[in-house]
Amino acid sequence: MELTGAEIVCESLLKEGADVIFGLPGGAVLPLYGALANYPKIRHILVRHEQAAAMAADGYARATGKAGVCVATSGPGATNLVTGIAAAQMDSVPMVAITGQVPRPYIGTDAFQETDVTGVTLPITKHNILVMKVEDVAQAIHDAFYIANSGRPGPVLVDIPRDVLLGAKTEFIWPETHKLPGYRIPGPADETEVIAAAALINQSQRPLIMAGHGMLISHAYSLMTEMAEKAQIPVITTLLGISSIASDHELNLGMSGMHGMAYANLAIDEADLIIGLGMRFDDRVTGRISAFAPNAKFVHVDIDASEIDKNVQTDIGVCGDLKSVMEQLLPKVEPNVHIDWLRHIQELKDQHPSHIVRQSEELLPQYVLQRLTEVTQGHGIVVTGVGQHQMWAAQHCLFREPNTFITSGGLGTMGFEVPAALGAQVGRPDTTVWSVCGDGGFQMTMCDIATAVESGADVKFAILNNKNLGMVHQLQDVFFEKDYMASEFSANPDFVKIAEAYGIRGIRVTKQEEVVDAVQQAMETAGPVIVDFMVKEDEIVFPFIPSGQSVNEMLEEPAHNGTS
Amino acid sequence: MAQINEIEQHTLIALVEDKPGVLNRVASMFRRRGFNIISLAVGNSEQAGLSRMTFVVNGDYRTVSQVAKQLDKLIDVLEVADISEARIVARELAMIKVSTTPMTRGEIIQIVNLFRANIIDVGGDSMIIEITGEGDKIDALYDLLSPFGITEMSRSGIVAMERGKSNGLTDGHKNNNVHSNGTGSS
Ligand SMILES: Cc1ncc(C[n+]2csc(CCOP(=O)(O)OP(=O)(O)O)c2C)c(N)n1
């Protein structure tokens, strides 16, 4: 079969099972669009801004476990992808970004719309490839998917010059193998390390599991729950580990860290063993590292050897695929009851009930989420933006099934809520996707509501509208003497009218008693819906461990700090 | 760990694919993570298509093992080993151009002979001296030549190798290899 470079890209995408791609065309990548017209099996979703293409690919990937694909033209198209690629890199999300490049003879001449995209994305991709020969296109796409999906997943960018896409017809040979001699994928761990880890677990009196994104990526959650139950070990989830254990499981202590549950943070402070599983002891989790889990030893399991001993010095580091390691570990962990430890944790929970929403006359954002999650009963997917609403969603939404909470953790990317939700909905069309939005973040990417409408992505947008950049406002409230410089909006648009302008339903909610009805109506309406919840404007996210501090400096909601 | 922590300078060697952009990836990783390279030398290895890099880096054991792991994570890097504690030979080449006068020439030649260095070019009022050795030896020669007026110096960066019979990097360093595992190479 003799094909052009662009046709080879399409054939290769089909070989890789990429049936949905998100993109926006331009001159350098146009030959690819010319070929796509003849490949109806590849569904192209046209975005309004390339940032949305990358973030939709991200949401799609997180929801399905398959690499998400985004396409952009050279120069500004490619640079518009950058934020989305960086977010995928930070959160270990498999993504393949395909960019057009200026024709080979123009490379290095500052030609029109020339950007050194492999240079720009070098530190924010797992790998990137500039394809300089049409014969190399298939191998590049094949390698890109392999690298993106395997080991610790991540984004891979493939930059293809326009003349390579147009290239003279070349024999299409699908490479069955990869020539990547420097790339190894850890499998099961060294048995001696697992034995040592099990010994520490079996000896410990006050153990805690901390489960991260790796738990979901490697599908190790059932084994983890089994281990937790067998040895009665409480489980804390990082922001990205949420949904790796059912919210109502009696051993689930929820999220810890900066805005984590007070009792989870206090338990960490007293634990004698932290078992970090597929997580990376990020600063939002640890606070001041020297004061983190001061009484604990550390077992750390991760597929990325460079994460072990990076942030905390571990006692036993185990490098391997988490699911394989859990299979090795589970039989070696002895049954236990940890009666005193569990009783003590229950006391901490009773004294510091951070999960309880206080009574109020006003429409509290936490209250909205609590009602919403009651209506959905924890089914479906929740996607968030970044800020207060994200933390409240992490604290108050219920999750029953694994991998149903999608949020930009590592990069903390505002605007993620709109495109990532649409990508998740495209990937899991039978699932209800609720996008919990900030009014700030929503306005960063709301142009892509059009994309949701056009592609039939049935996303329900819940804007927690506090008329400000809430998280920034909160920091100013606490640390900058309430000097609200540049964090209040005086001219937010009418989001109900925005909905109507896009031809979809908009609902405004101003009172508590309207919440459940609005959520139900949104779910009963076919197609995207925007619900504008006019919430209390100056609410603070508690608990709150200020950046770089420890659990000793934790601020709790006045009613929750042990006296109630 | 205590005595390991005291090691300040580490010598790492890496086997990398000989492809465009690899040096950029390596350098970018060092810069981004704030690691300090004291010396870097790159050249062909004994295997076609692979280059060998020798790094000298500063840091305690934990920092340097982070460097090694981050290096190893790069797709184009095949193998990394910290050979600081192995029996190694390390050499660097330097060329030093020093000013000369009829009065000083004899004394300079004496110093050069003492160091078993070579004079590789003689001009009317300068000469170029080539020296190979460990960094200390080059520094000592530099200090002795300084009073005569050094007008140029170029150093190659250190290259290092473990003593004894090992078969290149791939099988020679099982013990100080940073991979703790790695099933199924692709
Ligand atoms: C792209 C981007 N710009 C700036 C920030 C810094 N930031 C973090 S939270 C936040 C406020 C978010 O406001 P909003 O989306 O309304 O959510 P809220 O905190 O009010 O729930 C800002 C500006 C960010 N995380 N991402």
Side-chain angles (χ1 to χ4, degrees):
Chain A
M1 204 172 16
E2 301 249 301
L3 302 176
T4 64
E7 288 164 343
I8 293 175
V9 172
C10 296
E11 289 289 339
S12 305
L13 287 174
L14 284 177
K15 289 271 188 196
E16 293 295 346
D19 40 17
V20 182
I21 64 181
F22 302 88
L24 192 149
V29 80
L30 213 47
L32 177 58
Y33 279 80
L36 274 171
N38 302 321
Y39 285 85
K41 279 196 210 146
I42 302 173
R43 179 178 176 205
H44 180 270
I45 293 180
L46 174 63
V47 295
R48 296 298 186 270
H49 186 302
E50 291 87 350
Q51 172 173 246
M55 291 179 183
D58 180 323
Y60 176 91
R62 294 195 210 216
T64 61
K66 279 168 57 174
V69 182
C70 54
V71 178
T73 194
S74 68
T79 54
N80 272 350
L81 294 176
V82 164
T83 305
I85 294 173
Q89 169 78 351
M90 288 292 264
D91 288 348
S92 313
V93 177
M95 177 189 292
V96 173
I98 299 173
T99 48
Q101 181 53 277
V102 299
R104 283 169 294 181
Y106 292 88
I107 290 181
T109 67
D110 303 314
F112 177 63
Q113 294 194 330
E114 181 188 4
T115 300
D116 172 14
V117 176
T118 43
V120 168
T121 59
L122 190 145
I124 55 160
T125 49
K126 185 169 172 186
H127 195 56
N128 61 27
I129 306 165
L130 170 62
V131 186
M132 289 297 275
K133 288 198 298 237
V134 65
E135 305 84 62
D136 293 344
V137 171
Q139 185 76 58
I141 302 279
H142 190 38
D143 289 350
F145 275 87
Y146 176 60
I147 294 170
N149 279 317
S150 57
R152 178 178 181 175
V156 180
L157 180 136
V158 184
D159 196 26
I160 315 178
R162 186 172 196 273
D163 59 328
V164 172
L165 288 172
L166 279 174
K169 296 253 180 194
T170 306
E171 181 66 20
F172 172 65
I173 306 162
W174 181 244
E176 294 301 332
T177 57
H178 302 279
K179 280 192 226 87
L180 298 166
Y183 186 56
R184 280 164 306 270
I185 305 164
D190 186 353
E191 197 57 22
T192 55
E193 288 171 356
V194 180
I195 291 170
L200 275 188
I201 294 171
N202 292 335
Q203 283 156 21
S204 94
Q205 309 287 309
R206 297 185 305 282
L208 281 177
I209 290 172
M210 294 187 75
H213 198 192
M215 192 58 77
L216 295 162
I217 295 170
S218 76
H219 303 278
Y221 32 81
S222 312
L223 293 163
M224 185 229 348
T225 306
E226 214 178 309
M227 183 173 105
E229 286 169 356
K230 182 176 182 185
Q232 289 294 301
I233 303 174
V235 179
I236 284 169
T237 53
T238 68
L239 180 64
L240 293 190
I242 286 175
S243 84
S244 59
I245 178 167
S247 298
D248 57 2
H249 194 289
E250 57 183 9
L251 289 167
N252 186 355
L253 296 186
M255 181 175 75
S256 66
M258 182 178 270
H259 293 296
M261 297 291 107
Y263 43 85
N265 286 325
L266 291 163
I268 290 173
D269 204 45
E270 294 180 41
D272 69 355
L273 180 69
I274 300 289
I275 309 159
L277 303 175
M279 49 84 74
R280 59 190 177 91
F281 295 105
D282 160 79
D283 57 278
R284 287 303 189 255
V285 164
T286 63
R288 180 159 22 93
I289 203 91
S290 58
F292 176 70
N295 302 304
K297 291 191 167 171
F298 288 89
V299 168
H300 189 185
V301 184
D302 203 277
I303 196 162
D304 180 349
S306 73
E307 287 300 346
I308 294 166
D309 290 337
K310 186 180 82 177
N311 294 339
V312 301
Q313 182 86 56
T314 52
D315 295 275
I316 304 292
V318 183
C319 179
D321 164 59
L322 189 55
K323 188 168 187 194
S324 314
V325 176
M326 292 303 293
E327 278 161 1
Q328 293 170 279
L329 192 57
L330 186 55
K332 299 181 183 68
V333 170
E334 291 160 7
N336 206 323
V337 285
H338 294 301
I339 289 176
D340 294 340
W341 178 225
L342 292 181
R343 186 184 300 132
H344 180 61
I345 285 176
Q346 188 55 50
E347 283 164 15
L348 292 175
K349 249 182 161 165
D350 295 341
Q351 288 160 10
H352 303 267
S354 356
H355 55 295
I356 291 176
V357 176
R358 73 172 189 278
Q359 297 288 332
S360 167
E361 296 291 292
E362 293 168 287
L363 185 60
L364 296 184
Q366 304 92 309
Y367 174 90
V368 171
L369 293 172
Q370 218 173 31
R371 293 285 89 81
L372 192 156
T373 205
E374 269 170 28
V375 175
T376 65
Q377 297 191 359
H379 294 292
I381 292 177
V382 174
V383 180
T384 78
V386 171
Q388 293 185 310
H389 65 282
Q390 175 190 35
M391 293 298 111
W392 283 315
Q395 293 176 339
H396 299 292
C397 288
L398 295 177
F399 299 93
R400 290 189 195 286
E401 293 121 31
N403 205 24
T404 48
F405 183 58
I406 295 179
T407 193
S408 171
L411 197 68
T413 320
M414 276 174 77
F416 187 75
E417 54 261 65
V418 176
L422 102 81
Q425 177 70 67
V426 167
R428 299 263 302 274
D430 301 332
T431 309
T432 307
V433 176
W434 271 97
S435 171
V436 176
C437 311
D439 50 315
F442 184 79
Q443 289 182 78
M444 283 194 178
T445 46
M446 68 181 183
C447 57
D448 276 279
I449 295 291
T451 310
V453 175
E454 240 167 37
S455 62
D458 190 357
V459 178
K460 312 303 179 192
F461 297 94
I463 305 176
L464 297 188
N465 187 351
N466 53 14
K467 298 190 194 151
N468 58 47
L469 294 166
M471 190 55 97
V472 170
H473 206 262
Q474 159 162 354
L475 294 173
Q476 291 170 329
D477 194 330
V478 182
F479 299 116
F480 293 88
E481 285 136 13
K482 300 188 191 292
D483 178 1
Y484 301 123
M485 176 66 196
S487 65
E488 293 175 341
F489 298 129
S490 58
N492 263 350
D494 180 334
F495 292 114
V496 172
K497 285 196 182 145
I498 293 272
E500 285 161 4
Y502 283 110
I504 59 174
R505 178 143 185 224
I507 305 172
R508 175 157 301 113
V509 173
T510 54
K511 296 197 213 60
Q512 292 181 4
E513 49 278 22
E514 297 164 353
V515 173
V516 168
D517 188 47
V519 171
Q520 272 164 349
Q521 285 194 37
M523 295 191 30
E524 282 157 16
T525 306
V529 176
I530 297 173
V531 190
D532 186 18
F533 292 99
M534 306 300 295
V535 297
K536 179 169 179 289
E537 285 172 30
D538 52 2
E539 185 64 8
I540 300 234
V541 184
F542 287 113
F544 181 15
I545 302 179
S547 185
Q549 309 268 30
S550 75
V551 67
N552 299 320
E553 288 87 29
M554 179 167 62
L555 308 170
E556 288 183 74
E557 176 140 5
H560 286 170
N561 58 6
T563 48
S564 68
Chain B
M1 279 278 156
Q3 81 274 36
I4 297 175
N5 274 336
E6 280 154 31
I7 296 185
E8 277 294 316
Q9 279 205 349
H10 286 246
T11 307
L12 303 181
I13 48 179
L15 210 55
V16 308
E17 284 199 71
D18 182 8
K19 282 204 250 179
V22 175
L23 186 58
N24 188 12
R25 286 179 201 280
V26 168
S28 159
M29 188 284 288
F30 273 87
R31 176 194 53 77
R32 167 168 120 63
R33 297 202 180 260
F35 300 135
N36 225 339
I37 307 182
I38 292 170
S39 155
L40 166 62
V42 197
N44 292 341
S45 73
E46 71 286 354
Q47 299 174 55
L50 299 182
S51 309
R52 196 178 154 105
M53 293 188 173
T54 308
F55 305 87
V56 178
V57 291
N58 242 353
D60 60 15
Y61 176 77
R62 192 165 153 200
T63 308
V64 175
S65 85
Q66 247 311 294
V67 171
K69 288 176 185 175
Q70 293 294 348
L71 263 177
D72 196 37
K73 202 161 126 176
L74 299 175
I75 309 284
D76 296 327
V77 175
L78 276 73
E79 201 90 72
V80 183
D82 183 345
I83 57 170
S84 316
E85 285 171 82
R87 295 189 314 125
I88 57 170
V89 277
R91 290 289 181 274
E92 187 174 8
L93 182 140
M95 286 196 251
I96 303 172
K97 189 184 281 176
V98 61
S99 306
T100 56
T101 65
M103 302 264 289
T104 59
R105 198 169 286 143
E107 202 182 330
I108 292 173
I109 293 171
Q110 253 185 356
I111 294 173
V112 168
N113 288 341
L114 216 62
F115 276 80
R116 284 189 229 138
N118 296 314
I119 294 165
I120 54 174
D121 184 65
V122 182
D125 53 5
S126 72
M127 56 172 81
I128 301 176
I129 296 154
E130 172 210 42
I131 177 167
T132 305
E134 296 198 14
D136 293 354
K137 182 174 163 187
I138 296 172
D139 292 343
L141 177 63
Y142 180 91
D143 289 344
L144 283 177
L145 293 177
S146 285
F148 302 102
I150 292 173
T151 57
E152 256 182 271
M153 176 166 76
S154 180
R155 293 173 75 149
S156 66
I158 294 163
V159 294
M161 199 174 272
E162 198 173 336
R163 292 174 194 273
K165 59 158 199 268
S166 75
N167 242 340
L169 188 57
T170 327
D171 357 290
H173 298 276
K174 286 288 181 246
N175 296 331
N176 25 26
N177 220 314
V178 295
H179 296 307
S180 52
N181 69 72
T183 47
S185 94
S186 45

